[in-house]
């Protein structure tokens, strides 16, 4: 296994854990059976070797070694294909790849994703492909591009070549016993392109969604390509037959849907019905209409939840859409006509529906595909997609939230086929907000069947298989606590598990010893020094006696510390101060106190504890504004909707609240708004009724009066949350003035807690990091001016800035969480700001943030900078009073960090008050 390339590809492509595990398994397979990459081999012997390594592997099922990686929908199979190709090329020099797609949709998607400068480019971050991207040869251009490859100059001829073909097209060309076109077509070389590929010494076959074409004639033709290895990717590793599903026998990685849900990589699917719904009480037409109407209610509720989440968290807005599964093309056309008619919610969805099926041809088909591919865009009007059987694998959208199946199907088929298209998460991870993380399947008539099916032992939602592999040192992580340099110098720091602060790897691989031996070596001295540290902690709050850490060295304070430490030591060890052993000198407590405080003062930068409080009268409020109701189209419903999560069986409801009828419509909203802690009715009544009036007016614009009251009664809290989220953007606070209170003149340096790879040795901070994507996993040491023996960097920019600080600062460090307790305002939240660096020079103490230039002007970075600048101003005012150094805040763009510059050169990036 080539670990260096493996780590590089994993880091550069930001692989998720299941993708990383799949790549490791491929690398491991090649490691234990290197003849996989050779044509001169015994396939049966390779199978025997790999079966011992992969318990789920029974047979390759082909004439050549073929391995299946079964990853749940939404985890990222296309990115994994890119990782496979990058690894095989960089680690083993493989240049030729043949990628097989099951249909036109995936074929086109793969071509796009393998083409540079596209949104989901699979090789983004692979430097070797940035200079010379792989040559993409397709089923449409191979007779020109592919055949001409060997005519090119040597450099070009040896680049990576990725052939992408559509198996359905090959299948259509073998009907009647004919050979597919790629076998019949004679090339300029005088040979078929098929034979050109089959004669390549290093062809690797990648099969996307391989379950779709395993048993087809075109696949037999592909077998004759004689590739080195085949890599299959699918979410469903079985072939359907008349006797039921036939599992693949060559699976080496199985990551089922149940695990993807548990790990939070996909949405949680839920089945939805109405409370006490009986399908037998309704005609099939009525059931269909009820399901559609309830689907729209869910859709509109979800739209509001997504909008509110985006506003509350300052993230992109997601426009959800609803998928309706029709019986056939005639039924689809009827549904489209109904949904766009005035009879369905007064025609609110006219122009917002697309029908996707085989009935469209020519220009209509082009428009349909264009709109379908753009359905994620908030600017595209489509909110409802009706399809028959065209939306299978390859249509990757993240904003499908409601599915209404109107086609007869058993529960298992509904689960497997329906949810697959809607599992991807819009933000790439779970948000913790149920409505944002949930996919709703409206299935009133199949509700209990689907619940029962999901609870079966072999359900894809519950099916899990755990096979323990041998532990790997690369995978084991440990938590490392790094004490301050003072603690280490005094000999009080415990050895951190997984990393030895005394052991730092130099560039040549040699080990460097600790720079300074511990001050104290005997247990008695260490026990006394530890007690001195505890007493010093108490003096942090004695600003009258100890305004700065240097004041700890005055004779008066030294005397007090000696007395208190002596008193504390008596009950612990009565003979500690006496001469217990004539061979050992008596403990000189005054000397221990003097040395300990000296080290503490040398190994710290005075950080005051500052709290900013308003003085005089404080007033708050909200500026009047026009409510944004463009995305709010809540719908009424006569009955309660019940939903049940398929994995956890947790239930949720969408129902009217039971309560008194309000005197006027606005009261429903206002009474819900005043439940928020930051809204006072008497102060904000006028604004609350103005905003509630805007909402009521909006609801009346498309609902009857009775429907308006129904929506207000049922969804009052949802509406109030959305209005409150918009109000926060117009919040103001005024005070007569603000006063900074300094509770401590200095604070003890907190321990730093890191996660690191077990057993790793710290790297020297001057060592050039070639795989910068892995820098967050590395520990660095070898410092002489840093106040911690080990540090961790979030980027190589930080490591290089640390080199400058080692040269130009008296002392510096990277603060731990809670060291400063600076908070900044971001929307409705007030997160803690942790600066990148603190550095002290002869004249100034700097607080420094290094940031990517593109991020400098973002709202969050500017909010942090404003909070840090205010803190530095108050700290400087305090410093002037006690005679210490002023504070300055620097916000440095990443591309300005260079060892050729001095720390003074960065003064031009000081953030000053406006």
């Amino acid at each position: 296994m080539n670990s260096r390339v493996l780590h590089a590809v994993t880091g550069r492509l930001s692989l998720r854990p299941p993708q990383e595990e799949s790549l490791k398994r491929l690398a491991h397979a090649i490691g234990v059976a290197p003849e996989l990459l050779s044509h001169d081999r015994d396939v049966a012997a390779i199978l025997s070797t790999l079966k011992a390594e992969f318990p789920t592997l029974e047979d390759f099922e082909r004439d050549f070694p073929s391995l299946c990686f079964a990853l749940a929908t939404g985890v990222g199979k296309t990115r994994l294909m890119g990782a496979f190709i990058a690894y095989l090329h960089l680690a083993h020099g493989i240049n030729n790849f043949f990628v097989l797609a099951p249909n036109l949709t995936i074929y086109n998607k793969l071509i796009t994703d393998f083409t540079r400068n596209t949104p989901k480019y699979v090789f983004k971050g692979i430097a070797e492909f940035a200079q010379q991207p792989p040559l993409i040869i397709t089923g449409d251009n191979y007779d020109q591009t592919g055949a001409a490859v060997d005519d090119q100059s040597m450099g070009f001829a040896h680049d990576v070549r990725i052939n992408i073909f559509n198996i359905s097209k090959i299948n259509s060309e073998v009907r009647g016993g004919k050979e597919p076109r790629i076998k019949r077509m004679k090339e300029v070389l005088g040979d078929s392109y098929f034979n050109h590929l089959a004669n390549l010494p290093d062809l690797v076959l990648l099969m996307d969604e391989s379950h779709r074409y395993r048993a087809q004639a075109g696949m037999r033709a592909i077998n004759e390509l004689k590739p080195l290895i085949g890599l299959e990717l699918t979410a469903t590793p079985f072939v359907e037959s008349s006797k039921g599903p036939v599992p693949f026998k060559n699976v080496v990685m199985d990551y089922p849907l149940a695990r993807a849900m548990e790990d939070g990589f996909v949405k949680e699917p839920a089945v939805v019905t109405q409370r006490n719904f009986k399908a037998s009480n309704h005609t099939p037409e009525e059931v269909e209409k009820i399901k559609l109407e309830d689907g729209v209610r869910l859709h509109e509720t979800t739209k509001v939840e997504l909008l509110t989440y985006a506003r509350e968290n300052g993230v992109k807005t997601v426009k959800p859409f609803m998928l309706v599964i029709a019986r056939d093309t005639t039924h689809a056309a009827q549904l489209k006509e109904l949904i766009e008619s005035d009879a369905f919610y007064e025609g609110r969805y006219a122009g917002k529906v697309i029908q996707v099926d085989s009935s469209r041809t020519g220009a209509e088909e082009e428009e349909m595909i264009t709109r379908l591919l753009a359905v994620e865009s908030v600017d595209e009007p489509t909110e409802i997609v009706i399809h028959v059987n065209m939306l299978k694998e390859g249509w990757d959208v993240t904003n499908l939230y409601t599915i209404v199946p109107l086609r007869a199907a058993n529960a298992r088929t509904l689960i497997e086929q329906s949810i697959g298209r809607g599992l991807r998460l819009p933000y790439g991870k779970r948000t913790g907000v149920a409505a944002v993380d949930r996919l709703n399947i409206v299935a009133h008539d199949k509700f209990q069947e689907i619940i029962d099916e999901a609870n079966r032992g072999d359900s894809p939602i519950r099916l899990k298989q755990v096979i323990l592999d041998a532990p790997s040192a690369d995978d084991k992580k440990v938590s490392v606590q790094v004490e301050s340099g003072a603690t280490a110098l005094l000999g009080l720091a415990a050895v951190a598990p997984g990393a030895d602060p005394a052991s730092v790897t130099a560039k040549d691989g040699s080990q460097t010893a600790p720079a300074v031996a511990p001050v104290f070596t005997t247990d008695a001295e260490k026990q006394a020094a530890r007690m001195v540290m505890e007493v010093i902690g108490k003096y942090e709050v004695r600003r009258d006696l100890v305004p700065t850490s240097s004041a700890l060295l005055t004779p008066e304070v030294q005397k007090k510390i000696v007395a208190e430490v002596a008193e504390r030591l008596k009950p612990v060890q009565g003979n500690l101060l006496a001469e217990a052993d004539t061979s050992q000198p008596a403990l000189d407590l005054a000397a221990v106190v003097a040395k300990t405080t000296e080290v503490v003062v040398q190994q710290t930068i005075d950080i005051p504890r500052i709290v900013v409080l308003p003085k005089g009268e404080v007033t708050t409020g909200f500026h009047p504004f026009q409510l944004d109701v463009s995305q709010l189209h809540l719908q009424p419903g006569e009955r309660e909707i019940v939903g049940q999560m398929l994995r956890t069986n947790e239930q949720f409801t969408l129902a009217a609240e039971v309560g008194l009828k309000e005197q006027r419509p606005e009261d429903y909203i206002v009474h819900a708004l005043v439940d928020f802690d930051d809204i006072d009715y008497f102060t904000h009544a006028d604004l609350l009724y103005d905003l509630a009036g805007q909402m009521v007016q909006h609801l009346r614009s498309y609902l009857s009066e009775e429907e308006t009251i129904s929506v207000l009664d049922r969804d009052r809290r949802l509406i109030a949350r959305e209005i409150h989220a918009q109000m926060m953007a117009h919040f103001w606070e005024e005070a007569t003035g603000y006063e900074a209170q300094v509770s401590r003149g200095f604070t003890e340096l907190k321990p730093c807690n890191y996660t690191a790879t077990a057993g790793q040795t710290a790297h020297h901070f001057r060592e050039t990091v070639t795989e910068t994507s892995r820098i967050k996993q590395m520990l660095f040491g070898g410092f002489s001016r840093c106040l911690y023996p080990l540090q961790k960097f979030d980027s190589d920019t930080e490591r290089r800035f640390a080199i400058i600080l080692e040269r130009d600062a008296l002392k510096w460090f990277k603060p731990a969480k809670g060291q400063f307790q600076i908070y900044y305002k971001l929307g409705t939240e007030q997160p803690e700001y942790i600066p990148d660096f603190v550095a002290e020079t002869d004249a100034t103490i700097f607080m420094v943030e290094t940031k990517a230039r593109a991020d400098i002007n973002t709202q969050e970075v500017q909010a942090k900078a404003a909070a840090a600048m205010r803190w530095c101003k108050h700290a400087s005012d305090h410093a002037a009073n006690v005679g210490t150094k002023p504070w300055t805040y620097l916000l440095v763009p990443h591309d300005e960090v260079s060892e050729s510059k001095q720390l003074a050169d960065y003064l031009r990036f000081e953030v000053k008050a406006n």
Side-chain angles (χ1 to χ4, degrees), residues 85 95-99 114 123 129 134-138 160-164:
I85 291 172
N95 289 334
N96 291 284
F97 299 89
F98 192 93
V99 180
F114 277 97
F123 297 125
F129 290 164
L135 178 67
I136 306 302
I137 304 165
T138 72
V160 173
R161 281 157 279 178
I162 302 173
N163 299 268
I164 303 176

mmCIF file of all heavy atoms in Angstrom, residues 85 95-99 114 123 129 134-138 160-164:
data_model
loop_
_atom_site.group_PDB
_atom_site.id
_atom_site.type_symbol
_atom_site.label_atom_id
_atom_site.label_comp_id
_atom_site.label_asym_id
_atom_site.label_seq_id
_atom_site.Cartn_x
_atom_site.Cartn_y
_atom_site.Cartn_z
ATOM 1 N N ILE A 85 -9.182 6.530 -9.681
ATOM 2 C CA ILE A 85 -8.353 6.846 -10.845
ATOM 3 C C ILE A 85 -7.088 7.589 -10.421
ATOM 4 O O ILE A 85 -5.976 7.265 -10.847
ATOM 5 C CB ILE A 85 -9.161 7.657 -11.880
ATOM 6 C CG1 ILE A 85 -10.239 6.770 -12.509
ATOM 7 C CG2 ILE A 85 -8.254 8.245 -12.963
ATOM 8 C CD1 ILE A 85 -11.228 7.504 -13.398
ATOM 9 N N ASN A 95 -2.566 4.522 -16.623
ATOM 10 C CA ASN A 95 -2.935 5.683 -17.445
ATOM 11 C C ASN A 95 -4.251 5.522 -18.192
ATOM 12 O O ASN A 95 -4.812 6.511 -18.656
ATOM 13 C CB ASN A 95 -1.834 5.963 -18.483
ATOM 14 C CG ASN A 95 -0.576 6.522 -17.843
ATOM 15 O OD1 ASN A 95 -0.642 7.130 -16.788
ATOM 16 N ND2 ASN A 95 0.565 6.289 -18.465
ATOM 17 N N ASN A 96 -4.750 4.303 -18.347
ATOM 18 C CA ASN A 96 -5.930 4.078 -19.191
ATOM 19 C C ASN A 96 -7.103 3.533 -18.384
ATOM 20 O O ASN A 96 -6.971 2.520 -17.686
ATOM 21 C CB ASN A 96 -5.579 3.108 -20.323
ATOM 22 C CG ASN A 96 -4.617 3.738 -21.318
ATOM 23 O OD1 ASN A 96 -5.009 4.557 -22.141
ATOM 24 N ND2 ASN A 96 -3.340 3.368 -21.235
ATOM 25 N N PHE A 97 -8.227 4.217 -18.515
ATOM 26 C CA PHE A 97 -9.418 3.848 -17.750
ATOM 27 C C PHE A 97 -10.629 3.805 -18.681
ATOM 28 O O PHE A 97 -10.744 4.605 -19.613
ATOM 29 C CB PHE A 97 -9.658 4.845 -16.614
ATOM 30 C CG PHE A 97 -8.516 4.908 -15.629
ATOM 31 C CD1 PHE A 97 -7.453 5.790 -15.831
ATOM 32 C CD2 PHE A 97 -8.496 4.079 -14.516
ATOM 33 C CE1 PHE A 97 -6.391 5.839 -14.949
ATOM 34 C CE2 PHE A 97 -7.430 4.126 -13.625
ATOM 35 C CZ PHE A 97 -6.380 5.001 -13.842
ATOM 36 N N PHE A 98 -11.533 2.880 -18.410
ATOM 37 C CA PHE A 98 -12.753 2.724 -19.196
ATOM 38 C C PHE A 98 -13.921 2.796 -18.218
ATOM 39 O O PHE A 98 -14.092 1.909 -17.372
ATOM 40 C CB PHE A 98 -12.739 1.382 -19.929
ATOM 41 C CG PHE A 98 -13.809 1.236 -20.973
ATOM 42 C CD1 PHE A 98 -13.558 1.568 -22.295
ATOM 43 C CD2 PHE A 98 -15.063 0.759 -20.643
ATOM 44 C CE1 PHE A 98 -14.546 1.425 -23.267
ATOM 45 C CE2 PHE A 98 -16.056 0.613 -21.599
ATOM 46 C CZ PHE A 98 -15.798 0.954 -22.916
ATOM 47 N N VAL A 99 -14.693 3.873 -18.290
ATOM 48 C CA VAL A 99 -15.794 4.108 -17.347
ATOM 49 C C VAL A 99 -17.108 3.802 -18.058
ATOM 50 O O VAL A 99 -17.386 4.334 -19.132
ATOM 51 C CB VAL A 99 -15.792 5.562 -16.838
ATOM 52 C CG1 VAL A 99 -16.949 5.785 -15.870
ATOM 53 C CG2 VAL A 99 -14.462 5.885 -16.154
ATOM 54 N N PHE A 114 -16.170 14.682 -14.927
ATOM 55 C CA PHE A 114 -14.761 14.395 -15.206
ATOM 56 C C PHE A 114 -14.107 15.507 -16.037
ATOM 57 O O PHE A 114 -12.930 15.401 -16.383
ATOM 58 C CB PHE A 114 -14.620 13.056 -15.945
ATOM 59 C CG PHE A 114 -14.620 11.867 -15.024
ATOM 60 C CD1 PHE A 114 -15.779 11.146 -14.791
ATOM 61 C CD2 PHE A 114 -13.462 11.477 -14.369
ATOM 62 C CE1 PHE A 114 -15.791 10.058 -13.932
ATOM 63 C CE2 PHE A 114 -13.461 10.387 -13.508
ATOM 64 C CZ PHE A 114 -14.626 9.674 -13.287
ATOM 65 N N PHE A 123 -11.643 15.694 -9.792
ATOM 66 C CA PHE A 123 -10.209 15.738 -9.506
ATOM 67 C C PHE A 123 -9.771 17.068 -8.893
ATOM 68 O O PHE A 123 -8.582 17.365 -8.859
ATOM 69 C CB PHE A 123 -9.403 15.485 -10.784
ATOM 70 C CG PHE A 123 -9.618 14.127 -11.383
ATOM 71 C CD1 PHE A 123 -10.027 13.987 -12.703
ATOM 72 C CD2 PHE A 123 -9.422 12.981 -10.636
ATOM 73 C CE1 PHE A 123 -10.234 12.739 -13.262
ATOM 74 C CE2 PHE A 123 -9.626 11.716 -11.187
ATOM 75 C CZ PHE A 123 -10.035 11.599 -12.500
ATOM 76 N N PHE A 129 -3.106 16.721 -11.938
ATOM 77 C CA PHE A 129 -4.083 16.842 -13.010
ATOM 78 C C PHE A 129 -4.419 18.300 -13.322
ATOM 79 O O PHE A 129 -5.165 18.581 -14.247
ATOM 80 C CB PHE A 129 -5.370 16.093 -12.647
ATOM 81 C CG PHE A 129 -5.224 14.602 -12.648
ATOM 82 C CD1 PHE A 129 -6.174 13.784 -12.033
ATOM 83 C CD2 PHE A 129 -4.132 13.988 -13.256
ATOM 84 C CE1 PHE A 129 -6.043 12.401 -12.028
ATOM 85 C CE2 PHE A 129 -3.995 12.603 -13.258
ATOM 86 C CZ PHE A 129 -4.941 11.818 -12.643
ATOM 87 N N PRO A 134 -6.747 14.843 -17.335
ATOM 88 C CA PRO A 134 -6.936 13.633 -18.134
ATOM 89 C C PRO A 134 -7.678 13.922 -19.439
ATOM 90 O O PRO A 134 -8.529 14.803 -19.498
ATOM 91 C CB PRO A 134 -7.780 12.739 -17.214
ATOM 92 C CG PRO A 134 -7.485 13.227 -15.841
ATOM 93 C CD PRO A 134 -7.283 14.706 -15.974
ATOM 94 N N LEU A 135 -7.345 13.161 -20.454
ATOM 95 C CA LEU A 135 -8.035 13.269 -21.741
ATOM 96 C C LEU A 135 -9.338 12.475 -21.629
ATOM 97 O O LEU A 135 -9.326 11.295 -21.293
ATOM 98 C CB LEU A 135 -7.164 12.701 -22.858
ATOM 99 C CG LEU A 135 -7.773 12.691 -24.262
ATOM 100 C CD1 LEU A 135 -7.959 14.107 -24.779
ATOM 101 C CD2 LEU A 135 -6.894 11.888 -25.221
ATOM 102 N N ILE A 136 -10.465 13.125 -21.902
ATOM 103 C CA ILE A 136 -11.771 12.469 -21.813
ATOM 104 C C ILE A 136 -12.190 12.019 -23.213
ATOM 105 O O ILE A 136 -12.381 12.843 -24.110
ATOM 106 C CB ILE A 136 -12.831 13.415 -21.205
ATOM 107 C CG1 ILE A 136 -12.349 13.959 -19.848
ATOM 108 C CG2 ILE A 136 -14.164 12.693 -21.061
ATOM 109 C CD1 ILE A 136 -12.032 12.902 -18.820
ATOM 110 N N ILE A 137 -12.314 10.714 -23.371
ATOM 111 C CA ILE A 137 -12.718 10.122 -24.651
ATOM 112 C C ILE A 137 -14.105 9.523 -24.432
ATOM 113 O O ILE A 137 -14.312 8.748 -23.501
ATOM 114 C CB ILE A 137 -11.724 9.022 -25.084
ATOM 115 C CG1 ILE A 137 -10.296 9.601 -25.159
ATOM 116 C CG2 ILE A 137 -12.133 8.409 -26.421
ATOM 117 C CD1 ILE A 137 -9.213 8.545 -25.219
ATOM 118 N N THR A 138 -15.074 9.899 -25.277
ATOM 119 C CA THR A 138 -16.454 9.487 -25.046
ATOM 120 C C THR A 138 -16.983 8.623 -26.190
ATOM 121 O O THR A 138 -16.345 8.480 -27.240
ATOM 122 C CB THR A 138 -17.369 10.707 -24.883
ATOM 123 O OG1 THR A 138 -17.531 11.327 -26.172
ATOM 124 C CG2 THR A 138 -16.778 11.708 -23.902
ATOM 125 N N VAL A 160 -3.052 10.586 -18.719
ATOM 126 C CA VAL A 160 -4.182 9.754 -18.321
ATOM 127 C C VAL A 160 -5.313 9.900 -19.331
ATOM 128 O O VAL A 160 -5.656 11.009 -19.738
ATOM 129 C CB VAL A 160 -4.667 10.152 -16.914
ATOM 130 C CG1 VAL A 160 -5.945 9.408 -16.550
ATOM 131 C CG2 VAL A 160 -3.585 9.857 -15.885
ATOM 132 N N ARG A 161 -5.872 8.749 -19.732
ATOM 133 C CA ARG A 161 -6.981 8.752 -20.684
ATOM 134 C C ARG A 161 -8.179 8.047 -20.054
ATOM 135 O O ARG A 161 -8.053 6.903 -19.592
ATOM 136 C CB ARG A 161 -6.561 8.058 -21.985
ATOM 137 C CG ARG A 161 -5.719 8.944 -22.893
ATOM 138 C CD ARG A 161 -4.881 8.129 -23.844
ATOM 139 N NE ARG A 161 -3.667 7.650 -23.189
ATOM 140 C CZ ARG A 161 -2.769 6.884 -23.779
ATOM 141 N NH1 ARG A 161 -2.959 6.483 -25.008
ATOM 142 N NH2 ARG A 161 -1.686 6.507 -23.128
ATOM 143 N N ILE A 162 -9.303 8.735 -20.031
ATOM 144 C CA ILE A 162 -10.523 8.183 -19.436
ATOM 145 C C ILE A 162 -11.576 8.041 -20.533
ATOM 146 O O ILE A 162 -12.045 9.038 -21.086
ATOM 147 C CB ILE A 162 -11.038 9.088 -18.294
ATOM 148 C CG1 ILE A 162 -9.968 9.244 -17.206
ATOM 149 C CG2 ILE A 162 -12.323 8.521 -17.701
ATOM 150 C CD1 ILE A 162 -10.321 10.249 -16.131
ATOM 151 N N ASN A 163 -11.907 6.810 -20.858
ATOM 152 C CA ASN A 163 -12.940 6.515 -21.854
ATOM 153 C C ASN A 163 -14.276 6.380 -21.132
ATOM 154 O O ASN A 163 -14.406 5.578 -20.199
ATOM 155 C CB ASN A 163 -12.630 5.200 -22.575
ATOM 156 C CG ASN A 163 -11.303 5.253 -23.320
ATOM 157 O OD1 ASN A 163 -11.261 5.585 -24.494
ATOM 158 N ND2 ASN A 163 -10.213 4.922 -22.620
ATOM 159 N N ILE A 164 -15.277 7.148 -21.546
ATOM 160 C CA ILE A 164 -16.600 7.082 -20.910
ATOM 161 C C ILE A 164 -17.616 6.623 -21.958
ATOM 162 O O ILE A 164 -17.776 7.273 -22.998
ATOM 163 C CB ILE A 164 -17.011 8.449 -20.318
ATOM 164 C CG1 ILE A 164 -15.954 8.933 -19.306
ATOM 165 C CG2 ILE A 164 -18.376 8.351 -19.650
ATOM 166 C CD1 ILE A 164 -16.217 10.309 -18.736
#
